[in-house]
């Protein structure tokens, strides 16, 4: 029987271990983030790679799938960069359009709040001030860019090796457990490998339908480059919860800020409200459905933790990772209670 002192010790040890685990993951982001991303991506293209291996060598199939993922990522980056460049070109017109509205907002704030002109002037001076020189900012930008490019390219190198030498990793996992556990381990590996591709395939179909709905609504609302904005907004749904907010802000930036027309803003708000309703209550249950067996409460927690540890990439990876963890826990008898806790299925007593 566990005494109160032992229970307190175990709880304290668990809290301390969890703290240092997440601290270590945060510090080692440069190593683990591209590696974990490569693991998820390799699982996504694994069915395609297995199909291609029937007609060619595994190494060639691994190279082709790595290149496919690389080209898809380049296309997404090109879409985002094109939209940013378009926004930069429209910025002078946006400033001219929004200046009268900003002045009206200032007057409204002065009339209906305790603020005075000095408060607004002080806030403006604080926001325009900078604590670092231009050269320091350039150095920081170049350092961040070089680190991103290195990790970006390294991810696809990892994908190649994971696809090409997957039997080695699988054999290793089977051999480190006793013989009587091998069937259980093999079952866990097979089920876990299906989580990421099933989830992301459902997400791709969902993003395609969302892009169509966004295009219709934003086009009617009068948003510039509405097709491109719709595609990017649908891709951003890969970031759970936060992606929808970013997509809405982006649509407002390219719609309302460019035209200054309030009806455009109302149209954007209605488009996102209706589309989010359709996504949550119609598309999500039937398309993504039971692809990831995780309770929504723990999905939110995993997304928040992913953001705290690795930022945006952590938020994207959070759902497939927590889905795989749930599968593992549900198939280990000693840890099944934790799997039941994370799962959204109802288990009979």
């Amino acid at each position: 029987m566990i005494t109160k002192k032992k229970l307190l010790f175990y709880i304290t040890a668990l809290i301390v271990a969890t703290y240092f685990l997440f601290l270590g993951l945060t510090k080692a982001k440069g190593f683990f983030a591209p590696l974990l991303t490569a693991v998820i991506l390799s699982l996504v293209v694994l069915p395609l790679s297995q199909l291609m291996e029937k007609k060619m060598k595994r190494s060639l199939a691994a190279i082709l799938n790595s290149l496919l993922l690389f080209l898809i990522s380049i296309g997404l980056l090109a879409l985002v960069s094109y939209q940013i460049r378009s926004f930069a070109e429209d910025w002078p017109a946006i400033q001219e359009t929004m200046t009268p509205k900003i002045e009206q907002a200032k007057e409204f704030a002065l009339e209906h709040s305790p603020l005075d002109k000095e408060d607004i002037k002080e806030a403006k001076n604080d926001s325009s001030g900078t604590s670092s020189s231009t050269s320091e900012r350039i150095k920081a930008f170049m350092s961040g860019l070089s680190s991103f490019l290195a990790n970006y390219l390294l991810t696809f190198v990892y994908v190649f090796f994971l696809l090409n030498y997957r039997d080695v990793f699988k054999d290793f996992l089977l051999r480190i457990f006793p013989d009587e556990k091998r069937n259980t381990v093999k079952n866990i590996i097979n089920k876990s490998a299906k989580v990421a591709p099933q989830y992301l395939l459902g997400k791709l179909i969902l993003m395609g339908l969302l892009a169509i709905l966004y295009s219709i609504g934003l086009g009617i609302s009068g948003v510039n480059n509405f097709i491109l904005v719709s595609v990017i907004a649908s891709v951003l749904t890969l970031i759970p919860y936060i992606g929808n907010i970013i997509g809405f802000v982006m649509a407002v930036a390219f719609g309302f800020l460019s035209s200054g027309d309030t009806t455009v803003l109302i149209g954007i708000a209605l488009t996102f409200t209706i589309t989010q309703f359709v996504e949550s209550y119609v598309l999500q249950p039937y398309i993504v459905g039971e692809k990831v067996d995780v309770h929504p409460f723990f999905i939110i927690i995993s997304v928040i933790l992913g953001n705290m540890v690795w930022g945006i990439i952590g938020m994207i990876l959070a759902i497939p990772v927590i889905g795989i963890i749930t599968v593992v826990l549900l198939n280990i008898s000693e840890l099944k209670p934790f799997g039941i806790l994370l799962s959204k299925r109802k288990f009979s007593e």
Side-chain angles (χ1 to χ4, degrees):
M1 184 169 177
I2 300 176
T3 62
K4 290 183 178 180
K5 287 185 178 180
K6 281 188 177 181
L7 181 62
L8 180 62
F9 172 77
Y10 290 145
I11 293 174
T12 305
L14 178 63
I15 293 173
V16 172
T18 303
Y19 171 77
F20 281 105
L21 171 64
F22 283 104
L23 181 64
L25 289 174
T26 303
K27 296 294 183 182
K29 175 184 176 181
F31 173 74
F32 284 112
L35 180 59
L36 186 57
T37 303
V39 171
I40 299 300
L41 290 176
S42 62
L43 290 175
V44 170
V45 297
L46 180 59
L48 178 60
S49 182
Q50 290 173 330
L51 187 64
M52 294 171 65
E53 287 167 14
K54 295 178 180 179
K55 298 183 179 180
M56 61 183 71
K57 291 183 177 180
R58 175 173 291 185
S59 57
L60 180 58
I63 291 174
L64 291 176
N65 280 281
S66 301
L67 287 175
L68 175 64
L69 290 172
F70 177 74
L71 292 174
I72 291 173
S73 66
I74 289 292
L76 293 175
L77 290 174
L79 279 175
V80 175
S81 62
Y82 175 81
Q83 197 64 67
I84 292 173
R85 186 178 63 182
S86 176
F87 183 75
E89 291 174 353
D90 294 340
W91 181 245
I94 291 173
Q95 282 184 311
E96 184 178 350
T97 303
M98 294 306 298
T99 298
K101 296 185 178 297
I102 293 173
E103 293 299 326
Q104 290 176 6
K106 287 181 182 179
E107 294 297 329
F108 181 84
L110 290 172
E111 292 178 6
H112 298 85
S113 71
L115 294 174
D116 54 30
K117 292 184 178 180
E118 293 299 324
D119 293 329
I120 296 177
K121 188 181 295 184
E122 184 178 347
K124 184 177 180 181
N125 292 334
D126 290 340
S127 63
S128 62
T130 178
S131 58
S132 61
S133 64
T134 304
S135 60
E136 290 175 345
R137 283 182 291 173
I138 292 174
K139 288 179 182 178
F141 172 77
M142 294 304 296
S143 175
L145 180 62
S146 61
S147 176
F148 167 77
L149 290 176
N151 290 331
Y152 175 71
L153 296 174
L154 192 59
T155 299
F156 300 103
V157 176
Y158 286 151
V159 169
F160 165 75
F161 283 109
L162 289 168
L163 289 174
N164 195 34
Y165 299 104
R166 63 180 183 270
D167 286 345
V168 176
F169 303 117
K170 184 177 181 179
D171 189 54
F172 166 75
L173 290 174
L174 292 174
R175 288 180 181 275
I176 61 175
F177 292 97
D179 292 342
E180 60 271 16
K181 297 286 186 180
R182 286 195 177 182
N183 288 333
T184 302
V185 175
K186 191 178 293 185
N187 185 42
I188 292 173
I189 293 173
N190 292 334
K191 286 184 177 180
S192 300
K194 294 177 181 179
V195 172
Q198 288 179 347
Y199 169 72
L200 289 182
L201 179 61
K203 267 293 186 182
L204 286 174
I205 298 172
L206 182 62
M207 286 189 294
L209 294 174
L210 288 177
I212 294 173
L213 293 176
Y214 282 138
S215 297
I216 295 172
L218 297 180
I220 295 173
S221 301
V223 176
N224 295 331
N225 298 323
F226 65 91
I227 294 179
L228 194 57
V229 173
S230 301
V231 171
I232 296 175
S234 63
V235 171
L236 285 171
T237 58
L238 279 172
I239 307 174
Y241 309 109
I242 306 298
N244 295 325
I245 298 173
I246 298 173
F248 174 75
V249 172
M250 185 184 63
V252 170
F254 291 102
F256 174 63
L257 296 183
S258 298
S259 63
D261 190 352
T262 308
T263 56
V264 175
L265 180 61
I266 295 172
I268 293 171
L270 286 174
T271 297
F272 273 81
T273 301
I274 295 171
T275 303
Q276 291 307 310
F277 178 83
V278 173
E279 177 192 3
S280 300
Y281 296 100
V282 180
L283 300 178
Q284 187 87 13
Y286 289 99
I287 297 176
V288 179
E290 303 295 323
K291 304 299 184 185
V292 178
D293 178 26
V294 183
H295 195 278
F297 175 72
F298 291 103
I299 287 180
I300 295 173
I301 291 178
S302 65
V303 170
I304 293 172
L305 287 175
N307 178 55
M308 292 173 63
V309 176
W310 290 346
I312 292 177
I313 189 64
M315 297 173 73
I316 296 174
L317 296 175
I319 294 181
V321 168
I322 194 68
I324 292 173
I325 291 173
T326 304
V327 169
V328 173
L329 294 176
L330 286 173
N331 286 274
I332 300 176
S333 57
E334 296 83 359
L335 300 176
K336 191 171 182 178
F338 296 99
I340 294 173
L341 177 66
L342 295 177
S343 175
K344 63 183 175 184
R345 286 184 291 165
K346 292 183 178 179
F347 292 82
S348 57
E349 297 183 359

